[in-house]
Amino acid sequence: MKITIQRFNGQKQWDQTYELTDKELEGKTLLSVLLLIKQTKDITLNFTASCRSAICGACAVRVNGHSYLACDTKMNELLAEYDNPDEIKISPLGNFRVISDLVVDWEPSIENLRKIRPSIIAKSEFSAEKGCKQTQAEFDRISKQWDCILCGSCASECNKLAADSSDYMQPFVFTHAFRAAYDSRSKDPLTHLKPAIANGLWKCVHCQECADRCPKGISSADDIA
């Protein structure tokens, strides 16, 4: 089948197609296919990946306009989702500046994470000796948000960011603001809430794309609400 990849060298963008046999696709993940192409067909292809265990979030890309975590996406399931086509197109995440091929710039997102101060300052009642205790219910309230691996899949599909990113932060930033603000150990939830509100919290358009595309099943839309 044909794998068409959107390429970018810093100056121009083009589509490049690679032919792979069924044998080459058999038993592979999307990331394994990208590695195969780079190792055997085109060493100039650029993408990011690290853990191969759906933990680091580095390998997220778009396939046919939808975001996927490449290392956690089996090719047979992906192709079945699109009725086993003769060709698929792989492109970089949306709503990010493209640096090279499938590599995108994360620095603006990291700056937004800094704004909401994702680490917490413990309440005065806690100490190094006593620790910071939580009940199971208090932990359960934020446990799902801790699963966020900063892959960018939610931001890639966010319709508000696509329309205007100048006054709105990425959905995963709001998820981390929620996690910090609702942590029962936090001394001042407003430390995280105020910058979230100041940077577009209420401008979410409720398209639910973030919830639909998150590989960990997190709903940033619910966290924003």
Side-chain angles (χ1 to χ4, degrees), residues 52-224:
R52 303 193 192 189
S53 302
I55 295 173
C56 75
C59 65
V61 294
R62 265 180 164 178
V63 178
N64 293 354
H66 301 285
S67 55
Y68 295 85
L69 195 62
C71 71
D72 200 35
T73 301
K74 296 179 178 66
M75 284 302 297
N76 63 330
E77 295 177 359
L78 176 66
L79 296 176
E81 185 177 340
Y82 292 103
D83 297 322
N84 295 305
D86 295 326
E87 180 179 3
I88 59 171
K89 182 174 182 179
I90 303 174
S91 56
L93 293 177
N95 300 320
F96 286 82
R97 183 180 72 85
V98 181
I99 297 174
S100 175
D101 296 338
L102 304 177
V103 181
V104 298
D105 182 12
W106 266 85
E107 192 55 37
S109 300
I110 299 303
E111 287 301 318
N112 283 337
L113 281 167
R114 291 189 178 106
K115 290 176 184 176
I116 56 98
R117 299 180 182 180
S119 59
I120 65 171
I121 298 175
K123 293 177 179 177
S124 301
E125 65 197 68
F126 298 126
S127 66
E129 293 74 29
K130 295 180 180 179
C132 300
K133 296 181 179 179
Q134 287 181 301
T135 65
Q136 186 63 50
E138 290 170 338
F139 171 76
D140 290 342
R141 187 167 59 181
I142 58 170
S143 62
K144 192 62 182 175
Q145 288 72 20
W146 273 110
D147 288 340
C148 175
I149 57 175
L150 299 177
C151 68
S153 293
C154 60
S156 172
E157 311 310 307
C158 174
N159 284 302
K160 166 55 183 165
L161 288 176
D164 182 6
S165 61
S166 65
D167 58 356
Y168 191 72
M169 296 193 292
Q170 293 79 2
F172 59 79
V173 178
F174 294 117
T175 282
H176 281 270
F178 174 96
R179 184 227 354 118
Y182 276 78
D183 193 315
S184 62
R185 301 165 297 179
S186 178
K187 185 175 184 179
D188 184 12
L190 290 179
T191 299
H192 320 286
L193 180 58
K194 284 182 177 180
I197 292 173
N199 288 277
L201 178 69
W202 302 126
K203 296 180 180 179
C204 170
V205 298
H206 309 293
C207 64
Q208 298 294 323
E209 288 287 345
C210 56
D212 182 58
R213 301 316 304 178
C214 177
K216 297 297 183 179
I218 301 167
S219 173
S220 291
D222 286 349
D223 298 336
I224 290 168

Side-chain angles (χ1 to χ4, degrees), residues 15-31:
D15 289 344
Q16 190 159 347
T17 299
Y18 306 90
E19 295 271 1
L20 276 76
T21 66
D22 291 342
K23 184 68 175 179
E24 288 175 313
L25 295 175
E26 185 179 355
K28 287 184 171 59
T29 63
L30 178 56
L31 177 57

